[in-house]
Short mmCIF file of all heavy atoms in Angstrom, two decimals:
data_model
loop_
_atom_site.label_atom_id
_atom_site.label_comp_id
_atom_site.label_asym_id
_atom_site.label_seq_id
_atom_site.Cartn_x
_atom_site.Cartn_y
_atom_site.Cartn_z
N MET A 117 -1.05 12.70 25.56
CA MET A 117 -1.21 11.77 24.45
C MET A 117 0.15 11.38 23.86
O MET A 117 0.60 11.89 22.85
CB MET A 117 -2.08 12.42 23.36
CG MET A 117 -3.49 12.79 23.82
SD MET A 117 -4.49 11.35 24.21
CE MET A 117 -5.01 10.86 22.55
N ALA A 118 0.81 10.48 24.51
CA ALA A 118 2.15 10.13 24.10
C ALA A 118 2.18 9.30 22.82
O ALA A 118 3.21 9.16 22.20
CB ALA A 118 2.85 9.35 25.21
N THR A 119 1.04 8.75 22.44
CA THR A 119 1.03 7.87 21.28
C THR A 119 0.82 8.62 19.98
O THR A 119 0.88 8.04 18.91
CB THR A 119 -0.08 6.81 21.41
OG1 THR A 119 -1.32 7.46 21.59
CG2 THR A 119 0.18 5.89 22.58
N THR A 120 0.56 9.90 20.06
CA THR A 120 0.33 10.66 18.83
C THR A 120 1.64 10.93 18.11
O THR A 120 2.57 11.47 18.67
CB THR A 120 -0.36 12.01 19.15
OG1 THR A 120 -1.58 11.74 19.80
CG2 THR A 120 -0.63 12.79 17.88
N ASP A 121 1.68 10.51 16.86
CA ASP A 121 2.87 10.76 16.06
C ASP A 121 2.44 10.92 14.61
O ASP A 121 2.29 9.96 13.88
CB ASP A 121 3.85 9.61 16.20
CG ASP A 121 5.17 9.89 15.46
OD1 ASP A 121 5.28 10.97 14.84
OD2 ASP A 121 6.05 9.04 15.50
N ASP A 122 2.20 12.15 14.23
CA ASP A 122 1.69 12.40 12.89
C ASP A 122 2.73 12.16 11.80
O ASP A 122 2.40 12.06 10.64
CB ASP A 122 1.17 13.84 12.78
CG ASP A 122 -0.09 14.02 13.61
OD1 ASP A 122 -0.82 13.03 13.79
OD2 ASP A 122 -0.34 15.15 14.06
N SER A 123 3.98 12.07 12.18
CA SER A 123 5.03 11.94 11.17
C SER A 123 5.15 10.50 10.66
O SER A 123 5.76 10.25 9.64
CB SER A 123 6.38 12.39 11.73
OG SER A 123 6.79 11.51 12.75
N PHE A 124 4.54 9.57 11.35
CA PHE A 124 4.62 8.18 10.93
C PHE A 124 3.22 7.65 10.66
O PHE A 124 2.37 7.63 11.54
CB PHE A 124 5.30 7.34 12.01
CG PHE A 124 5.44 5.90 11.61
CD1 PHE A 124 6.32 5.54 10.60
CD2 PHE A 124 4.70 4.92 12.23
CE1 PHE A 124 6.45 4.22 10.21
CE2 PHE A 124 4.82 3.59 11.85
CZ PHE A 124 5.69 3.25 10.84
N ASN A 125 3.02 7.24 9.43
CA ASN A 125 1.70 6.79 9.02
C ASN A 125 1.59 5.29 9.29
O ASN A 125 1.57 4.48 8.38
CB ASN A 125 1.50 7.10 7.53
CG ASN A 125 0.07 6.87 7.09
OD1 ASN A 125 -0.82 6.79 7.92
ND2 ASN A 125 -0.14 6.79 5.81
N GLY A 126 1.56 4.94 10.55
CA GLY A 126 1.56 3.53 10.92
C GLY A 126 0.18 3.02 11.25
O GLY A 126 -0.67 3.75 11.76
N ILE A 127 -0.03 1.77 10.95
CA ILE A 127 -1.31 1.14 11.26
C ILE A 127 -1.04 -0.31 11.63
O ILE A 127 -0.12 -0.94 11.09
CB ILE A 127 -2.27 1.24 10.05
CG1 ILE A 127 -3.66 0.74 10.42
CG2 ILE A 127 -1.74 0.51 8.83
CD1 ILE A 127 -4.70 1.00 9.34
N THR A 128 -1.81 -0.80 12.55
CA THR A 128 -1.66 -2.20 12.95
C THR A 128 -2.63 -3.05 12.15
O THR A 128 -3.84 -2.83 12.16
CB THR A 128 -1.94 -2.36 14.46
OG1 THR A 128 -1.03 -1.55 15.19
CG2 THR A 128 -1.78 -3.81 14.88
N GLU A 129 -2.07 -3.99 11.43
CA GLU A 129 -2.92 -4.92 10.69
C GLU A 129 -2.21 -6.26 10.56
O GLU A 129 -1.05 -6.40 10.92
CB GLU A 129 -3.29 -4.35 9.32
CG GLU A 129 -2.13 -4.06 8.42
CD GLU A 129 -2.59 -3.43 7.11
OE1 GLU A 129 -3.50 -2.58 7.14
OE2 GLU A 129 -2.05 -3.81 6.08
N HIS A 130 -2.95 -7.23 10.04
CA HIS A 130 -2.42 -8.58 9.97
C HIS A 130 -1.38 -8.72 8.87
O HIS A 130 -1.59 -8.26 7.76
CB HIS A 130 -3.58 -9.56 9.72
CG HIS A 130 -3.16 -10.99 9.74
ND1 HIS A 130 -2.94 -11.68 10.91
CD2 HIS A 130 -2.90 -11.85 8.74
CE1 HIS A 130 -2.58 -12.91 10.62
NE2 HIS A 130 -2.54 -13.05 9.31
N CYS A 131 -0.27 -9.36 9.22
CA CYS A 131 0.76 -9.68 8.23
C CYS A 131 0.74 -11.18 7.98
O CYS A 131 0.81 -11.97 8.93
CB CYS A 131 2.14 -9.25 8.74
SG CYS A 131 3.49 -9.81 7.67
N GLU A 132 0.65 -11.55 6.71
CA GLU A 132 0.58 -12.97 6.40
C GLU A 132 1.89 -13.68 6.70
O GLU A 132 1.91 -14.84 7.10
CB GLU A 132 0.22 -13.17 4.92
CG GLU A 132 -1.23 -12.81 4.64
CD GLU A 132 -1.63 -13.15 3.21
OE1 GLU A 132 -0.83 -13.79 2.50
OE2 GLU A 132 -2.73 -12.76 2.82
N ASP A 133 3.00 -12.98 6.47
CA ASP A 133 4.30 -13.60 6.71
C ASP A 133 4.54 -13.83 8.20
O ASP A 133 5.03 -14.88 8.61
CB ASP A 133 5.41 -12.73 6.13
CG ASP A 133 5.57 -12.96 4.64
OD1 ASP A 133 4.65 -13.55 4.04
OD2 ASP A 133 6.61 -12.56 4.08
N CYS A 134 4.21 -12.81 8.99
CA CYS A 134 4.41 -12.94 10.44
C CYS A 134 3.30 -13.76 11.08
O CYS A 134 3.49 -14.31 12.16
CB CYS A 134 4.44 -11.56 11.09
SG CYS A 134 5.79 -10.51 10.53
N ASP A 135 2.16 -13.80 10.41
CA ASP A 135 0.97 -14.42 10.98
C ASP A 135 0.62 -13.76 12.32
O ASP A 135 0.28 -14.42 13.29
CB ASP A 135 1.15 -15.92 11.14
CG ASP A 135 -0.20 -16.64 11.29
OD1 ASP A 135 -1.21 -16.06 10.88
OD2 ASP A 135 -0.23 -17.74 11.84
N LEU A 136 0.75 -12.45 12.32
CA LEU A 136 0.52 -11.65 13.53
C LEU A 136 -0.08 -10.32 13.13
O LEU A 136 0.05 -9.89 11.98
CB LEU A 136 1.85 -11.37 14.25
CG LEU A 136 2.55 -12.48 15.00
CD1 LEU A 136 3.93 -11.99 15.43
CD2 LEU A 136 1.74 -12.90 16.20
N GLU A 137 -0.65 -9.67 14.13
CA GLU A 137 -0.97 -8.27 13.96
C GLU A 137 0.30 -7.47 14.19
O GLU A 137 0.88 -7.52 15.27
CB GLU A 137 -2.04 -7.84 14.98
CG GLU A 137 -3.36 -8.58 14.83
CD GLU A 137 -4.17 -8.06 13.65
OE1 GLU A 137 -4.23 -6.82 13.48
OE2 GLU A 137 -4.73 -8.89 12.91
N THR A 138 0.76 -6.78 13.19
CA THR A 138 2.02 -6.04 13.30
C THR A 138 1.82 -4.61 12.82
O THR A 138 0.84 -4.29 12.14
CB THR A 138 3.13 -6.70 12.46
OG1 THR A 138 2.75 -6.66 11.09
CG2 THR A 138 3.36 -8.13 12.88
N LEU A 139 2.79 -3.79 13.14
CA LEU A 139 2.75 -2.41 12.69
C LEU A 139 3.15 -2.32 11.22
O LEU A 139 4.16 -2.88 10.80
CB LEU A 139 3.71 -1.57 13.55
CG LEU A 139 3.68 -0.07 13.31
CD1 LEU A 139 2.34 0.52 13.73
CD2 LEU A 139 4.82 0.60 14.07
N HIS A 140 2.36 -1.63 10.45
CA HIS A 140 2.65 -1.44 9.04
C HIS A 140 2.76 0.05 8.74
O HIS A 140 2.02 0.86 9.29
CB HIS A 140 1.53 -2.03 8.17
CG HIS A 140 1.51 -3.52 8.10
ND1 HIS A 140 1.20 -4.31 9.17
CD2 HIS A 140 1.78 -4.34 7.07
CE1 HIS A 140 1.27 -5.58 8.78
NE2 HIS A 140 1.63 -5.63 7.52
N GLU A 141 3.66 0.35 7.84
CA GLU A 141 3.75 1.70 7.32
C GLU A 141 2.96 1.74 6.02
O GLU A 141 3.22 0.98 5.10
CB GLU A 141 5.21 2.09 7.07
CG GLU A 141 5.34 3.52 6.59
CD GLU A 141 6.79 3.91 6.37
OE1 GLU A 141 7.69 3.10 6.66
OE2 GLU A 141 7.00 5.04 5.92
N VAL A 142 1.99 2.62 5.99
CA VAL A 142 1.07 2.65 4.86
C VAL A 142 1.30 3.90 4.03
O VAL A 142 1.45 5.00 4.56
CB VAL A 142 -0.39 2.60 5.35
CG1 VAL A 142 -1.36 2.71 4.18
CG2 VAL A 142 -0.63 1.32 6.12
N SER A 143 1.33 3.72 2.73
CA SER A 143 1.43 4.86 1.83
C SER A 143 0.58 4.58 0.60
O SER A 143 0.14 3.46 0.35
CB SER A 143 2.89 5.11 1.43
OG SER A 143 3.41 3.99 0.78
N VAL A 144 0.34 5.63 -0.16
CA VAL A 144 -0.43 5.49 -1.38
C VAL A 144 0.47 5.83 -2.56
O VAL A 144 1.17 6.84 -2.55
CB VAL A 144 -1.65 6.43 -1.38
CG1 VAL A 144 -2.38 6.37 -2.72
CG2 VAL A 144 -2.59 6.06 -0.24
N GLN A 145 0.47 4.94 -3.53
CA GLN A 145 1.26 5.17 -4.73
C GLN A 145 0.34 5.22 -5.94
O GLN A 145 -0.61 4.44 -6.03
CB GLN A 145 2.26 4.04 -4.95
CG GLN A 145 3.37 3.98 -3.91
CD GLN A 145 4.37 2.87 -4.23
OE1 GLN A 145 4.12 2.04 -5.09
NE2 GLN A 145 5.48 2.87 -3.53
N ILE A 146 0.64 6.12 -6.84
CA ILE A 146 -0.04 6.12 -8.13
C ILE A 146 0.81 5.35 -9.11
O ILE A 146 1.95 5.71 -9.37
CB ILE A 146 -0.25 7.56 -8.66
CG1 ILE A 146 -0.99 8.41 -7.63
CG2 ILE A 146 -0.99 7.52 -9.99
CD1 ILE A 146 -2.40 7.92 -7.33
N ARG A 147 0.27 4.26 -9.59
CA ARG A 147 1.02 3.44 -10.53
C ARG A 147 0.40 3.54 -11.90
O ARG A 147 -0.82 3.49 -12.04
CB ARG A 147 0.99 1.98 -10.09
CG ARG A 147 1.77 1.73 -8.83
CD ARG A 147 1.89 0.25 -8.60
NE ARG A 147 2.48 -0.04 -7.30
CZ ARG A 147 2.58 -1.26 -6.81
NH1 ARG A 147 2.12 -2.28 -7.49
NH2 ARG A 147 3.13 -1.45 -5.62
N THR A 148 1.25 3.64 -12.88
CA THR A 148 0.78 3.62 -14.26
C THR A 148 0.86 2.21 -14.79
O THR A 148 1.93 1.62 -14.85
CB THR A 148 1.61 4.56 -15.14
OG1 THR A 148 1.54 5.86 -14.59
CG2 THR A 148 1.08 4.58 -16.55
N GLU A 149 -0.29 1.69 -15.10
CA GLU A 149 -0.33 0.34 -15.65
C GLU A 149 -0.19 0.45 -17.16
O GLU A 149 -1.15 0.74 -17.88
CB GLU A 149 -1.65 -0.33 -15.26
CG GLU A 149 -1.77 -0.48 -13.75
CD GLU A 149 -3.07 -1.15 -13.36
OE1 GLU A 149 -4.04 -1.04 -14.14
OE2 GLU A 149 -3.11 -1.77 -12.30
N SER A 150 1.00 0.20 -17.62
CA SER A 150 1.31 0.47 -19.02
C SER A 150 1.14 -0.78 -19.87
O SER A 150 2.10 -1.38 -20.33
CB SER A 150 2.72 1.02 -19.15
OG SER A 150 3.62 0.17 -18.47
N LEU A 151 -0.07 -1.20 -20.05
CA LEU A 151 -0.34 -2.28 -20.97
C LEU A 151 -0.10 -1.79 -22.40
O LEU A 151 0.53 -2.45 -23.21
CB LEU A 151 -1.78 -2.77 -20.82
CG LEU A 151 -2.12 -3.33 -19.44
CD1 LEU A 151 -3.62 -3.67 -19.38
CD2 LEU A 151 -1.30 -4.56 -19.14
N LYS A 152 -0.63 -0.63 -22.66
CA LYS A 152 -0.37 0.03 -23.94
C LYS A 152 0.04 1.46 -23.64
O LYS A 152 -0.57 2.12 -22.80
CB LYS A 152 -1.62 0.02 -24.83
CG LYS A 152 -1.97 -1.33 -25.39
CD LYS A 152 -3.15 -1.22 -26.34
CE LYS A 152 -3.48 -2.58 -26.94
NZ LYS A 152 -4.63 -2.49 -27.87
N LYS A 153 1.02 1.90 -24.35
CA LYS A 153 1.57 3.22 -24.05
C LYS A 153 0.53 4.32 -24.24
O LYS A 153 0.44 5.26 -23.47
CB LYS A 153 2.76 3.48 -24.96
CG LYS A 153 3.85 4.29 -24.28
CD LYS A 153 5.11 4.34 -25.15
CE LYS A 153 6.24 5.02 -24.42
NZ LYS A 153 7.47 5.07 -25.24
N GLU A 154 -0.27 4.18 -25.26
CA GLU A 154 -1.24 5.24 -25.56
C GLU A 154 -2.39 5.31 -24.54
O GLU A 154 -3.10 6.28 -24.46
CB GLU A 154 -1.81 5.07 -26.98
CG GLU A 154 -2.49 3.74 -27.24
CD GLU A 154 -1.50 2.76 -27.85
OE1 GLU A 154 -0.31 2.79 -27.49
OE2 GLU A 154 -1.93 1.99 -28.72
N ASN A 155 -2.53 4.25 -23.76
CA ASN A 155 -3.58 4.24 -22.76
C ASN A 155 -3.10 4.63 -21.37
O ASN A 155 -3.87 4.59 -20.41
CB ASN A 155 -4.21 2.85 -22.67
CG ASN A 155 -5.07 2.55 -23.88
OD1 ASN A 155 -5.52 3.46 -24.56
ND2 ASN A 155 -5.30 1.28 -24.14
N ALA A 156 -1.86 5.03 -21.28
CA ALA A 156 -1.27 5.27 -19.97
C ALA A 156 -2.05 6.29 -19.15
O ALA A 156 -2.19 6.15 -17.94
CB ALA A 156 0.18 5.71 -20.13
N GLN A 157 -2.55 7.28 -19.81
CA GLN A 157 -3.26 8.32 -19.05
C GLN A 157 -4.56 7.81 -18.47
O GLN A 157 -5.11 8.41 -17.56
CB GLN A 157 -3.52 9.53 -19.95
CG GLN A 157 -4.39 9.22 -21.15
CD GLN A 157 -4.59 10.46 -22.02
OE1 GLN A 157 -4.92 11.51 -21.52
NE2 GLN A 157 -4.36 10.31 -23.32
N PHE A 158 -5.06 6.71 -18.97
CA PHE A 158 -6.32 6.18 -18.46
C PHE A 158 -6.11 5.08 -17.42
O PHE A 158 -7.06 4.56 -16.87
CB PHE A 158 -7.16 5.61 -19.60
CG PHE A 158 -7.51 6.64 -20.63
CD1 PHE A 158 -6.99 6.55 -21.92
CD2 PHE A 158 -8.35 7.69 -20.31
CE1 PHE A 158 -7.31 7.49 -22.88
CE2 PHE A 158 -8.67 8.64 -21.27
CZ PHE A 158 -8.16 8.55 -22.54
N SER A 159 -4.85 4.71 -17.20
CA SER A 159 -4.61 3.57 -16.32
C SER A 159 -3.71 3.93 -15.14
O SER A 159 -2.92 3.14 -14.70
CB SER A 159 -4.02 2.42 -17.12
OG SER A 159 -2.84 2.84 -17.75
N ARG A 160 -3.84 5.14 -14.67
CA ARG A 160 -3.10 5.52 -13.47
C ARG A 160 -3.96 5.18 -12.26
O ARG A 160 -4.98 5.80 -12.04
CB ARG A 160 -2.77 7.02 -13.50
CG ARG A 160 -1.72 7.34 -14.54
CD ARG A 160 -1.70 8.82 -14.82
NE ARG A 160 -1.29 9.58 -13.64
CZ ARG A 160 -0.04 9.88 -13.33
NH1 ARG A 160 0.93 9.47 -14.11
NH2 ARG A 160 0.25 10.58 -12.28
N GLU A 161 -3.52 4.17 -11.56
CA GLU A 161 -4.33 3.64 -10.48
C GLU A 161 -3.69 3.91 -9.12
O GLU A 161 -2.50 3.67 -8.96
CB GLU A 161 -4.50 2.13 -10.64
CG GLU A 161 -5.09 1.72 -11.97
CD GLU A 161 -6.58 1.95 -12.01
OE1 GLU A 161 -7.16 2.34 -10.98
OE2 GLU A 161 -7.17 1.73 -13.08
N PRO A 162 -4.47 4.37 -8.18
CA PRO A 162 -3.91 4.50 -6.83
C PRO A 162 -3.84 3.15 -6.14
O PRO A 162 -4.80 2.38 -6.15
CB PRO A 162 -4.90 5.44 -6.14
CG PRO A 162 -6.19 5.22 -6.85
CD PRO A 162 -5.84 4.82 -8.27
N TYR A 163 -2.68 2.88 -5.56
CA TYR A 163 -2.50 1.65 -4.80
C TYR A 163 -2.19 1.99 -3.35
O TYR A 163 -1.43 2.91 -3.07
CB TYR A 163 -1.33 0.84 -5.36
CG TYR A 163 -1.68 -0.01 -6.55
CD1 TYR A 163 -1.80 0.54 -7.81
CD2 TYR A 163 -1.91 -1.37 -6.39
CE1 TYR A 163 -2.12 -0.23 -8.91
CE2 TYR A 163 -2.23 -2.15 -7.48
CZ TYR A 163 -2.34 -1.58 -8.73
OH TYR A 163 -2.66 -2.35 -9.81
N ARG A 164 -2.76 1.21 -2.49
CA ARG A 164 -2.43 1.32 -1.09
C ARG A 164 -1.32 0.31 -0.80
O ARG A 164 -1.50 -0.89 -0.99
CB ARG A 164 -3.68 1.01 -0.26
CG ARG A 164 -3.47 1.03 1.24
CD ARG A 164 -4.76 0.59 1.88
NE ARG A 164 -4.68 0.60 3.33
CZ ARG A 164 -4.16 -0.37 4.06
NH1 ARG A 164 -3.66 -1.44 3.45
NH2 ARG A 164 -4.13 -0.29 5.37
N VAL A 165 -0.19 0.81 -0.36
CA VAL A 165 0.97 -0.04 -0.10
C VAL A 165 1.22 -0.06 1.39
O VAL A 165 1.33 0.98 2.03
CB VAL A 165 2.22 0.48 -0.83
CG1 VAL A 165 3.42 -0.43 -0.55
CG2 VAL A 165 1.96 0.57 -2.33
N SER A 166 1.31 -1.26 1.94
CA SER A 166 1.62 -1.37 3.36
C SER A 166 2.85 -2.24 3.53
O SER A 166 2.99 -3.28 2.87
CB SER A 166 0.43 -1.93 4.14
OG SER A 166 0.12 -3.22 3.73
N GLU A 167 3.75 -1.79 4.37
CA GLU A 167 4.99 -2.51 4.60
C GLU A 167 5.07 -2.88 6.06
O GLU A 167 5.02 -2.02 6.95
CB GLU A 167 6.18 -1.64 4.21
CG GLU A 167 7.51 -2.36 4.41
CD GLU A 167 8.68 -1.51 3.93
OE1 GLU A 167 8.53 -0.77 2.95
OE2 GLU A 167 9.74 -1.58 4.57
N CYS A 168 5.19 -4.18 6.31
CA CYS A 168 5.31 -4.68 7.67
C CYS A 168 6.60 -4.17 8.29
O CYS A 168 7.68 -4.33 7.72
CB CYS A 168 5.28 -6.20 7.65
SG CYS A 168 5.53 -6.92 9.29
N GLN A 169 6.49 -3.57 9.46
CA GLN A 169 7.67 -3.03 10.12
C GLN A 169 8.42 -4.10 10.89
O GLN A 169 9.48 -3.86 11.46
CB GLN A 169 7.28 -1.88 11.05
CG GLN A 169 6.63 -0.73 10.31
CD GLN A 169 7.56 -0.13 9.26
OE1 GLN A 169 8.55 0.49 9.59
NE2 GLN A 169 7.24 -0.35 7.99
N ARG A 170 7.89 -5.29 10.90
CA ARG A 170 8.55 -6.39 11.61
C ARG A 170 9.39 -7.22 10.65
O ARG A 170 10.54 -7.52 10.92
CB ARG A 170 7.48 -7.26 12.28
CG ARG A 170 8.05 -8.35 13.17
CD ARG A 170 6.91 -9.03 13.94
NE ARG A 170 7.41 -10.07 14.81
CZ ARG A 170 7.57 -11.34 14.44
NH1 ARG A 170 7.29 -11.71 13.21
NH2 ARG A 170 8.01 -12.23 15.29
N CYS A 171 8.82 -7.61 9.50
CA CYS A 171 9.55 -8.48 8.58
C CYS A 171 9.85 -7.81 7.25
O CYS A 171 10.60 -8.33 6.44
CB CYS A 171 8.76 -9.77 8.34
SG CYS A 171 7.31 -9.56 7.29
N GLY A 172 9.25 -6.66 7.01
CA GLY A 172 9.54 -5.93 5.77
C GLY A 172 8.69 -6.37 4.59
O GLY A 172 8.88 -5.88 3.48
N ASN A 173 7.76 -7.29 4.82
CA ASN A 173 6.90 -7.74 3.73
C ASN A 173 6.01 -6.61 3.24
O ASN A 173 5.41 -5.88 4.03
CB ASN A 173 6.04 -8.90 4.22
CG ASN A 173 5.11 -9.41 3.13
OD1 ASN A 173 5.54 -9.73 2.04
ND2 ASN A 173 3.82 -9.46 3.42
N ARG A 174 5.95 -6.46 1.94
CA ARG A 174 5.13 -5.41 1.36
C ARG A 174 3.94 -6.03 0.67
O ARG A 174 4.06 -7.03 -0.03
CB ARG A 174 5.92 -4.61 0.32
CG ARG A 174 6.84 -3.60 0.92
CD ARG A 174 7.44 -2.77 -0.18
NE ARG A 174 7.89 -1.47 0.32
CZ ARG A 174 8.03 -0.40 -0.45
NH1 ARG A 174 7.75 -0.48 -1.73
NH2 ARG A 174 8.42 0.74 0.06
N SER A 175 2.81 -5.38 0.84
CA SER A 175 1.65 -5.79 0.08
C SER A 175 0.98 -4.55 -0.46
O SER A 175 1.03 -3.47 0.14
CB SER A 175 0.68 -6.59 0.94
OG SER A 175 0.23 -5.83 2.02
N SER A 176 0.38 -4.67 -1.62
CA SER A 176 -0.28 -3.53 -2.21
C SER A 176 -1.62 -3.99 -2.77
O SER A 176 -1.78 -5.13 -3.21
CB SER A 176 0.57 -2.91 -3.31
OG SER A 176 0.81 -3.84 -4.33
N GLN A 177 -2.57 -3.11 -2.73
CA GLN A 177 -3.84 -3.42 -3.33
C GLN A 177 -4.42 -2.18 -3.98
O GLN A 177 -4.22 -1.07 -3.52
CB GLN A 177 -4.81 -3.99 -2.30
CG GLN A 177 -5.28 -3.00 -1.26
CD GLN A 177 -6.15 -3.66 -0.21
OE1 GLN A 177 -5.83 -3.69 0.97
NE2 GLN A 177 -7.26 -4.22 -0.66
N ARG A 178 -5.07 -2.40 -5.06
CA ARG A 178 -5.67 -1.32 -5.81
C ARG A 178 -6.82 -0.73 -4.99
O ARG A 178 -7.60 -1.45 -4.37
CB ARG A 178 -6.19 -1.84 -7.13
CG ARG A 178 -6.58 -0.75 -8.09
CD ARG A 178 -7.27 -1.33 -9.29
NE ARG A 178 -6.31 -2.06 -10.15
CZ ARG A 178 -6.56 -2.29 -11.44
NH1 ARG A 178 -7.66 -1.88 -11.99
NH2 ARG A 178 -5.69 -2.96 -12.15
N MET A 179 -6.92 0.57 -5.01
CA MET A 179 -7.91 1.23 -4.17
C MET A 179 -9.23 1.46 -4.90
O MET A 179 -10.22 1.78 -4.28
CB MET A 179 -7.37 2.57 -3.69
CG MET A 179 -6.16 2.42 -2.79
SD MET A 179 -5.48 4.00 -2.28
CE MET A 179 -6.64 4.50 -1.03
N ASN A 180 -9.23 1.30 -6.19
CA ASN A 180 -10.43 1.63 -6.96
C ASN A 180 -11.59 0.68 -6.74
O ASN A 180 -12.73 0.99 -7.07
CB ASN A 180 -10.11 1.64 -8.45
CG ASN A 180 -9.62 3.00 -8.91
OD1 ASN A 180 -9.38 3.87 -8.08
ND2 ASN A 180 -9.50 3.19 -10.20
N ASN A 181 -11.30 -0.48 -6.21
CA ASN A 181 -12.36 -1.46 -6.02
C ASN A 181 -13.22 -1.17 -4.79
O ASN A 181 -14.26 -1.78 -4.61
CB ASN A 181 -11.76 -2.85 -5.86
CG ASN A 181 -11.00 -3.27 -7.12
OD1 ASN A 181 -11.29 -2.78 -8.20
ND2 ASN A 181 -10.02 -4.13 -6.95
N ALA A 182 -12.76 -0.25 -3.97
CA ALA A 182 -13.44 -0.02 -2.70
C ALA A 182 -14.84 0.55 -2.90
O ALA A 182 -15.09 1.26 -3.82
CB ALA A 182 -12.63 0.93 -1.83
ZN1 ZN B 145 5.42 -9.21 8.78
#
């Protein structure tokens, strides 16, 4: 199984900039949406961030809607 590489969290998906299926590096970030400082503890949202390994375009989407 030469394709197994657990150290790189890569996934092939469509990139709008490349208009191609390209390899993306995917990670999850917890972002604090600080609309109001006192609400910060209630607005920590996990985001799925994917970065195109071809052009470097980054896209992120909130995961809570799933
Ligand atoms: Zn791209």
Side-chain angles (χ1 to χ4, degrees):
M117 299 294 279
T119 57
T120 301
D121 185 359
D122 290 332
S123 66
F124 181 70
N125 190 17
I127 187 172
T128 300
E129 60 183 41
H130 184 79
C131 172
E132 288 186 8
D133 279 15
C134 297
D135 199 21
L136 287 171
E137 298 284 317
T138 63
L139 186 66
H140 286 68
E141 183 179 356
V142 177
S143 60
V144 175
Q145 292 183 349
I146 305 296
R147 291 190 188 174
T148 302
E149 297 180 333
S150 51
L151 298 175
K152 289 184 178 180
K153 215 171 186 180
E154 58 266 36
N155 287 338
Q157 61 181 311
F158 299 113
S159 58
R160 289 164 64 89
E161 303 283 355
Y163 277 79
R164 178 185 181 278
V165 180
S166 63
E167 181 176 326
C168 176
Q169 298 300 291
R170 186 172 181 271
C171 73
N173 180 53
R174 281 186 157 204
S175 60
S176 61
Q177 69 185 118
R178 192 188 289 202
M179 296 177 77
N180 272 9
N181 298 335

